[in-house]
C-alpha cells in the first residue's frame, strides 16, 4: 500500500489519507503501508504526524503490519512518529531512501510456523565481517576525491540501509551506538 500525496497537506487531508490507507489495507489484507511524504509538505508537521501515529495505533493493526514513512530529510518530527509507534508495539520506521523503505516493508511476516528471529533452526553460517569491512574500506578509498555532497549522500544511504537491516533483526542500531558513546564518556 503506497500513499503518496503531493503539495501542501493540511492536517485533515493527512488524517483522511491515513484512514483511506488503513481501510484499503484492511480490505486487501495487505498490511504493508508506505506513507511517502517526499513530495508533500505537512502544514502542521508535528501535530499531523502525532495524530497520524494515534490513528495508526488506535486502529488495532495486526501483528504482521509494517508501516514506513518516507520523507525528504530525516528530522526529529519523523523520528518521533517512529518512536511513538514502536513504543506501542507496532513495526514502524522512517526512511529517506525509497529502496530501503520498500526493502524493510518486504520483510516477511512471522507466523506460528516461523521461528522467531534468533531461534535455533540450523547452524548459522559464519559471517566474514573482515570481508565486509574490506569492501567498505575499498568503497571509501574509491570515493576519496568525489564531491563531498555525493559522499555524504552515499554514506547517508549506507547508514539508512544498515539501520533497516538492524531493524529487521530487532536491533535499534542508533540506540546501541548512543549507549556505546555514553559508556565511552563515563
Amino acid at each position: 500500500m503506497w500513499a503518496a500525496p503531493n503539495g501542501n497537506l493540511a492536517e485533515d487531508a493527512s488524517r483522511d489519507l491515513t484512514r483511506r490507507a488503513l481501510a484499503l489495507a484492511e480490505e486487501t489484507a495487505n498490511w504493508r503501508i508506505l506513507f511517502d511524504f517526499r513530495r508533500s509538505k505537512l502544514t502542521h508537521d508535528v501535530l499531523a504526524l502525532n495524530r497520524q501515529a494515534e490513528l495508526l495505533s488506535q486502529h488495532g493493526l495486526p501483528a504482521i503490519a509494517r508501516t514506513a514513512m518516507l520523507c525528504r530529510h530525516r528530522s526529529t518530527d519523523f523520528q518521533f512518529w517512529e518512536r511513538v509507534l514502536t513504543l506501542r508495539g507496532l513495526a514502524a520506521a522512517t526512511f529517506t531512501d525509497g529502496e530501503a523503505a520498500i526493502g524493510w516493508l518486504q520483510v516477511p511476516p512471522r507466523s506460528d510456523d516461523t521461528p522467531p528471529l534468533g531461534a535455533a533452526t540450523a547452524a548459522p553460517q559464519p559471517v566474514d565481517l573482515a570481508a565486509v569491512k574490506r569492501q567498505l574500506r575499498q568503497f571509501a578509498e574509491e570515493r576519496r576525491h568525489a564531491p563531498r555532497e555525493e559522499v555524504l549522500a552515499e554514506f547517508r544511504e549506507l547508514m539508512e540501509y544498515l539501520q533497516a537491516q538492524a531493524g529487521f533483526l530487532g536491533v535499534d542500531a542508533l540506540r546501541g551506538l548512543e549507549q556505546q558513546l555514553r559508556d565511552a564518556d563515563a
Side-chain angles (χ1 to χ4, degrees):
M1 190 74 43
W2 195 320
N6 287 314
N8 284 339
L9 186 63
E11 185 181 346
D12 59 337
S14 174
R15 200 170 34 249
D16 291 343
L17 177 72
T18 302
R19 285 186 181 125
R20 287 193 317 246
L22 287 169
L24 194 52
E26 194 157 9
E27 181 181 316
T28 61
N30 178 2
W31 292 105
R32 300 300 195 244
I33 304 170
L34 175 62
F35 292 99
D36 185 349
F37 286 136
R38 291 177 297 178
R39 292 190 183 108
S40 69
K41 181 179 184 322
L42 294 172
T43 56
H44 299 91
D45 285 348
V46 178
L47 188 57
L49 289 170
N50 187 39
R51 291 214 172 108
Q52 186 198 42
E54 287 297 320
L55 274 172
L56 290 167
S57 62
Q58 290 172 0
H59 187 75
L61 296 171
I64 62 168
R66 291 175 83 79
T67 306
M69 177 76 69
L70 200 48
C71 49
R72 279 181 296 235
H73 307 285
R74 188 170 298 283
S75 73
T76 55
D77 297 342
F78 288 105
Q79 290 172 333
F80 178 75
W81 173 90
E82 177 181 332
R83 187 164 290 140
V84 165
L85 290 171
T86 54
L87 287 173
R88 293 179 181 180
L90 300 173
T94 58
F95 299 90
T96 57
D97 177 77
E99 284 185 33
I102 291 169
W104 181 82
L105 284 169
Q106 290 177 337
V107 171
R110 289 185 4 208
S111 71
D112 293 336
D113 300 332
T114 306
L117 289 174
T121 52
Q125 296 297 317
V127 176
D128 187 359
L129 287 179
V132 172
K133 290 177 182 178
R134 281 192 303 274
Q135 288 178 330
L136 287 171
R137 175 67 180 182
Q138 179 182 350
F139 171 76
E141 287 175 1
E142 291 171 1
R143 303 301 293 147
R144 180 176 285 164
H145 300 292
R148 181 169 173 77
E149 297 79 29
E150 285 181 26
V151 172
L152 285 173
E154 290 166 345
F155 273 97
R156 185 179 307 118
E157 186 175 337
L158 281 171
M159 289 301 295
E160 288 174 355
Y161 184 77
L162 287 172
Q163 280 181 275
Q165 298 312 305
F168 170 72
L169 297 172
V171 174
D172 184 341
L174 289 178
R175 188 171 290 151
L177 180 60
E178 289 170 355
Q179 184 62 47
Q180 273 189 320
L181 292 172
R182 279 193 295 269
D183 292 346
D185 288 340

